[in-house]
Amino acid sequence: MKTSDFYYDLPEELIAQTPLERRDASRLMVLDRRTGEVTHRHFYDIVEYLQPGDCLVMNDSRVLPARLMGHRPTGGVVEVLLLRDLGDKCWECLCKPGRKMQPGNQVIFGDGELTATVREVREDGNRVVEFHYEGIFLEILERLGKMPLPPYIKAELKDQERYQTVYSREAGSAAAPTAGLHFTQELLDKIRAKGVSTAFVTLHVGLGTFRPVKAEEITDHHMHSELCMMNQETADLLNATRARGGRIICVGTTSCRTLESLVNSDGSFCAGSKWTEIFIYPGYTFKAMDGLITNFHLPESTLVMLVSAFAGREHILAAYKQAVEQRYRFFSFGDAMCIL
């Protein structure tokens, strides 16, 4: 199966640049994965498609304001993007301009409350950077950092909380689990009042989620590694949902990848964590997920391949064609799809 099998034509003006004023006012396409039938609704109608006894699984990862603008002692401007916490105040980072960030080079951020030294240049061009500061690093980041918005979003984000879900709590992502951006606390309350349980997992989204698939054959593509976690409370809730015949519905591809990475061969769940490189494409047998709430994804991306594995490539491409014709908004700040 080729990467080009997952191409669709998307006019650039349909890429949403800013979030809607009201989170749950986005449009919702409901796709029946068995028949391919499509229904057009609004996201606040999602309650109608959930049943008592279902369990909604959400990724509670919180995006780090990981984009830092600093300057070298000589005055040159440098951008440092945090990718992964390596411990001992060291992070794997993406730095621009890279040629100015060689081992031993220093960077100053803000008024000097945060400084950094490049320790290593890795084979892939990423840098290992050691930070120097007093106090709590996350608090300093909240003051000095900016949200690392995807490359296809050119507009400035006025309210940084709009790139966080209302239930985010575990800081560590380089990008938002965007399917969850549509939920408000009021909508979640309505869902729970209907008898639907809510469970949380954590997968810290890496920037690799935006990397294009360059391999011609999709099986030659290697996924980036991401840390995912499930606690005992969630494992118990999922097992109870299975036992009573309820559906497990994932909010976002990150929740899906977490469950499919941590599910046992018999379909049961245990608390645990792991670094996952799971790549889901057509032919994959789902063991954990019965439904998916997701956004509209980039052409030829691993995420289009994942939803195609769940609903069928023909159904997905036909639904995306309708979405383009109906002028849906695409990608991170765009509209949503519910696949059942």
Side-chain angles (χ1 to χ4, degrees), residues 269-335:
F269 297 91
C270 299
S273 65
K274 68 183 292 187
W275 287 93
T276 183
E277 297 176 353
I278 189 170
F279 182 14
I280 298 174
Y281 53 86
Y284 179 85
T285 301
F286 288 85
K287 297 182 285 295
M289 183 175 75
D290 303 305
L292 177 66
I293 297 168
T294 187
N295 281 17
F296 291 90
H297 305 293
L298 279 73
E300 300 184 329
S301 64
T302 60
L303 302 182
V304 162
M305 294 170 193
L306 186 154
V307 295
S308 295
F310 190 57
R313 187 180 73 93
E314 292 77 12
H315 287 168
I316 287 294
L317 291 180
Y320 272 50
K321 186 171 184 291
Q322 275 202 52
V324 170
E325 290 168 352
Q326 297 284 334
R327 309 294 289 177
Y328 273 66
R329 302 167 82 244
F330 279 68
F331 306 163
S332 296
F333 287 139
D335 296 316

Side-chain angles (χ1 to χ4, degrees), residues 27-282:
R27 295 167 76 185
L28 174 69
M29 176 184 283
V30 183
L31 172 65
D32 185 322
R33 65 191 181 106
R34 291 161 188 83
T35 66
E37 183 183 352
V38 160
T39 309
H40 303 285
R41 303 294 297 269
H42 285 92
F43 196 81
Y44 48 72
D45 297 320
I46 193 74
V47 184
E48 296 178 29
Y49 294 90
L50 303 175
Q51 301 166 2
D54 286 347
C55 183
L56 207 56
V57 183
M58 294 169 276
N59 180 8
D60 64 4
S61 183
R62 187 169 174 81
V63 187
L64 290 169
R67 186 166 160 253
L68 290 163
M69 301 303 296
H71 62 275
R72 293 180 293 120
T74 54
V77 175
V78 175
E79 179 180 332
V80 176
L81 186 62
L82 307 180
L83 298 179
R84 183 180 296 181
D85 186 355
L86 303 175
D88 296 325
K89 296 188 175 183
C90 289
W91 285 73
E92 181 180 351
C93 299
L94 192 63
C95 300
K96 297 179 185 176
R99 68 185 183 281
K100 301 292 187 181
M101 295 289 282
Q102 301 302 319
N105 289 162
Q106 294 189 315
V107 187
I108 301 160
F109 303 97
D111 58 4
E113 67 174 308
L114 180 66
T115 61
T117 306
V118 181
R119 294 299 181 205
E120 179 189 336
V121 178
R122 295 192 161 175
E123 283 185 16
D124 58 5
N126 292 346
R127 268 62 175 168
V128 174
V129 176
E130 181 182 356
F131 289 92
H132 316 287
Y133 55 89
E134 296 291 333
I136 299 171
F137 188 56
L138 284 178
E139 291 181 358
I140 295 170
L141 270 189
E142 291 288 347
R143 288 196 297 275
L144 299 181
K146 290 187 175 183
M147 285 297 165
L149 293 178
Y152 48 75
I153 293 178
K154 312 299 182 189
E156 190 74 23
L157 183 62
K158 293 176 182 176
D159 178 5
Q160 300 218 87
E161 276 302 305
R162 290 308 307 273
Y163 196 57
Q164 305 279 15
T165 62
V166 296
Y167 48 77
S168 65
R169 57 189 177 193
E170 301 292 339
S173 277
T178 53
L181 295 178
H182 304 281
F183 287 92
T184 64
Q185 199 56 60
E186 293 76 20
L187 185 57
L188 288 170
D189 290 342
K190 278 187 187 176
I191 288 167
R192 293 180 182 117
K194 190 173 181 178
V196 177
S197 38
T198 52
F200 295 95
V201 293
T202 305
L203 181 141
H204 291 315
V205 188
L207 277 186
T209 193
F210 301 119
R211 285 188 188 135
V213 179
K214 294 181 178 176
E216 185 177 340
E217 297 286 337
I218 64 173
T219 49
D220 293 335
H221 177 70
H222 182 71
M223 290 290 283
H224 55 287
S225 184
E226 293 171 313
L227 179 64
C228 62
M229 294 164 272
M230 179 189 297
N231 62 26
Q232 191 63 52
E233 182 183 358
T234 291
D236 291 343
L237 198 48
L238 294 175
N239 290 331
T241 301
R242 276 273 184 263
R244 65 174 174 257
R247 298 177 301 175
I248 294 174
I249 299 171
C250 291
V251 176
T253 55
T254 58
S255 298
C256 165
R257 293 180 69 241
T258 299
L259 293 202
E260 295 294 332
S261 296
L262 296 175
V263 68
N264 297 319
S265 57
D266 63 356
S268 66
F269 297 91
C270 299
S273 65
K274 68 183 292 187
W275 287 93
T276 183
E277 297 176 353
I278 189 170
F279 182 14
I280 298 174
Y281 53 86

